[in-house]
Amino acid sequence: MSSFKTLDDLGDITGKVALVRVDLNLPMKGGSATDVTRVEAVKPTILELCEKGAKVLLLAHFGRPKGQRHSTMSTSFVQGDVEEVLGKEIMFIPEVMGPVVEQSIGILSAGDIGLLDNVRFWPGEEANDPEFAKGIAAHGDFYVNDAFSAAHRAHASTEGLAHHLPAYAGRAMEAELKALDAALGSPEQPVAAVVGGAKVSTKLDVLENLVGKVQHLIIGGGMANTFLAARGVDVGKSLCEHDLTDTANRIIDQADHAGCTVHLPYDVVVAKEFAANPPSMRICNVHEVSSDEMILDVGPQAVEALGDVLKTCRTLVWNGPMGAFETEPFDTATVALAKTAAALTEGGSLTSVAGGGDTVAALAHAGVKDDFTFVSTAGGAFLEWMEGKALPGVAALMA
Ligand code: ADP
Ligand code: MG
């Protein structure tokens, strides 16, 4: 991995102004956040900068105001939640540049925190306007990016600022980049990738990138049906993208050429209706699915075999559940494989990295979220990274 600077590379920053990009786009209900995970994630960076005596200016977006001030999308709405998590009072500053920001910096003491308003109120943010970035940068001595989840966007606060100030990765960004590098950048081999979820079409780029990088590609979830159909299996009423069978076959060919073994389920859990514990549910071989049945989970024999594959691997990267895990008992394969991965991780033989909205929910449901080496909550940025794309916010830190 080409290198980036971290907070360890900062010299004496007493009284210096740190512009810190964080993710404060919290899910809200009735005026307060329903989940403060994103604030917890950036807390170490913020407090470390405070302890080192910087004046910390937090820079974030909140909602999609599309370049205009919007009374319901001010970052002041999350001020209380941020103060609570940090255990510190912060000063809300209703601008991102100009005299109000300058005066506020004058009032802040070393170790204090200011919260700038929603950076997406200004069109220069999403346009990554260099003049806009320069205007913000004029207030800071250095820039810290601790928002990996926004790193797939080339915006002024996520990318542009790095060209105008000395740039550093915050602690959350640093941890994320190290984990992702350990998973796909320079992983210990053999590497297994689990790719599941609903559709092949949303993860084509992920699959194409992975076949060239991993030794085992484990395909589950709804997308396995498309691959099975491509292999001539009658998948009945299953969720299946029949128009993508050629694509699926091409990916299998690419895998063959690259020496990557593709694992498809050979037994499955099927039902005639999609409901919890439906009476029509049964386990069968993939060749025995009848025309009125749907495949809703990977079967027990396949799960056991996949567990054995993981036992031979040193690294696992996982995106997408193995079945329709929100509905019992179609969470069985996902939970079982997640527990196997967690146990191997705890035993020290496996480095396990997972990400994706539903994947994080599934691992939490399995009770193993904290047992993986790293679980990314970054959503879009995580998927783009799995697609092998350079993330502008990360690339700017490497420069
Ligand atoms: P992530 O958010 O982790 O990237 P996806 O959004 O791609 O994951 O996929 C998750 C969804 O896939 C879940 O809602 C799950 O119910 C669905 N799913 C998984 N397997 C099946 C299946 N066999 N049939 C229908 N839906 C499935
Ligand atoms: Mg999803």
Side-chain angles (χ1 to χ4, degrees):
M1 177 168 51
S2 47
S3 69
F4 51 90
K5 283 189 262 175
T6 71
L7 303 192
D8 296 327
D9 300 304
L10 287 166
D12 179 11
I13 55 169
T14 313
K16 296 260 170 69
V17 177
L19 282 166
V20 186
R21 180 58 159 97
V22 287
D23 183 352
L24 300 180
N25 200 23
L26 310 182
M28 306 291 285
K29 204 176 175 184
S32 66
T34 54
D35 180 4
V36 293
T37 310
R38 286 172 168 171
V39 191
E40 303 278 7
V42 295
K43 180 178 173 176
T45 294
I46 296 171
L47 294 186
E48 182 173 345
L49 291 167
C50 291
E51 273 156 31
K52 289 179 170 164
K55 297 183 181 184
V56 177
L57 291 188
L58 302 179
L59 196 53
H61 76 274
F62 186 55
R64 296 171 182 265
K66 302 245 154 86
Q68 283 181 20
R69 270 195 199 272
H70 216 290
S71 59
T72 61
M73 294 185 211
S74 167
T75 54
S76 61
F77 286 106
V78 297
Q79 180 179 1
D81 291 301
V82 177
E83 287 179 328
E84 199 170 312
V85 172
L86 297 181
K88 263 173 96 87
E89 276 186 18
I90 60 183
M91 176 198 266
F92 175 68
I93 305 168
E95 297 287 343
V96 291
M97 67 176 84
V100 172
V101 174
E102 206 48 52
Q103 283 159 20
S104 303
I105 291 169
I107 296 167
L108 293 174
S109 304
D112 284 352
I113 304 167
L115 172 63
L116 299 171
D117 213 341
N118 188 348
V119 67
R120 288 194 187 164
F121 282 171
W122 290 271
E125 165 66 359
E126 291 181 70
N128 199 8
D129 175 0
E131 290 307 313
F132 180 68
K134 248 192 228 172
I136 299 176
H139 297 288
D141 295 297
F142 62 99
Y143 165 68
V144 175
N145 189 349
D146 214 22
F148 177 81
S149 56
H152 57 314
R153 314 243 185 252
H155 293 171
S157 69
T158 61
E159 199 271 345
L161 277 177
H163 301 293
H164 301 286
L165 288 171
Y168 302 84
R171 294 302 182 195
M173 174 74 88
E174 179 186 351
E176 184 104 29
L177 295 180
K178 282 188 177 154
L180 299 190
D181 190 60
L184 278 187
S186 45
E188 276 192 62
Q189 296 189 344
V191 185
V194 171
V195 184
K199 290 181 172 180
V200 171
S201 53
T202 59
K203 293 185 181 172
L204 268 182
D205 292 344
V206 171
L207 293 166
E208 289 191 339
N209 181 43
L210 290 176
V211 290
K213 291 197 170 149
V214 306
Q215 285 71 46
H216 296 278
L217 178 61
I218 295 170
I219 300 179
M223 65 168 58
N225 303 336
T226 301
F227 279 86
L228 289 170
R231 289 274 172 108
V233 170
D234 182 354
V235 298
K237 280 201 307 171
S238 303
L239 173 65
C240 177
E241 293 169 289
H242 290 283
D243 54 326
L244 285 181
T245 50
D246 286 347
T247 307
N249 277 324
R250 195 187 68 227
I251 290 169
I252 290 172
D253 285 345
Q254 284 170 353
D256 275 348
H257 283 291
C260 166
T261 308
V262 177
H263 300 268
L264 290 171
Y266 44 81
D267 62 337
V268 286
V269 185
V270 296
K272 290 185 177 155
E273 67 274 4
F274 186 25
N277 302 300
S280 63
M281 188 181 84
R282 67 185 187 105
I283 294 164
C284 67
N285 182 282
V286 289
H287 296 288
E288 294 163 2
V289 179
S290 67
S291 58
D292 57 351
E293 288 179 319
M294 282 175 279
I295 300 171
L296 292 166
D297 201 11
V298 170
Q301 286 184 41
V303 171
E304 190 163 336
L306 294 174
D308 289 339
V309 171
L310 295 190
K311 283 176 195 146
T312 69
C313 291
R314 301 286 293 163
T315 305
L316 166 68
V317 51
W318 184 332
N319 169 257
M322 302 300 283
F325 76 100
E326 300 93 335
T327 310
E328 294 217 332
F330 308 114
D331 58 341
T332 309
T334 305
V335 170
L337 198 63
K339 285 190 169 158
T340 300
L344 293 169
T345 305
E346 286 195 318
S349 69
L350 190 70
T351 297
S352 52
V353 174
D358 294 295
T359 309
V360 176
L363 296 183
H365 169 73
V368 298
K369 205 179 126 192
D370 297 333
D371 302 330
F372 270 53
T373 310
F374 190 79
V375 175
S376 174
T377 54
F382 179 83
L383 265 189
E384 287 200 22
W385 166 80
M386 273 192 85
E387 291 168 358
K389 294 192 180 139
L391 307 181
V394 174
L397 292 177
M398 304 289 183

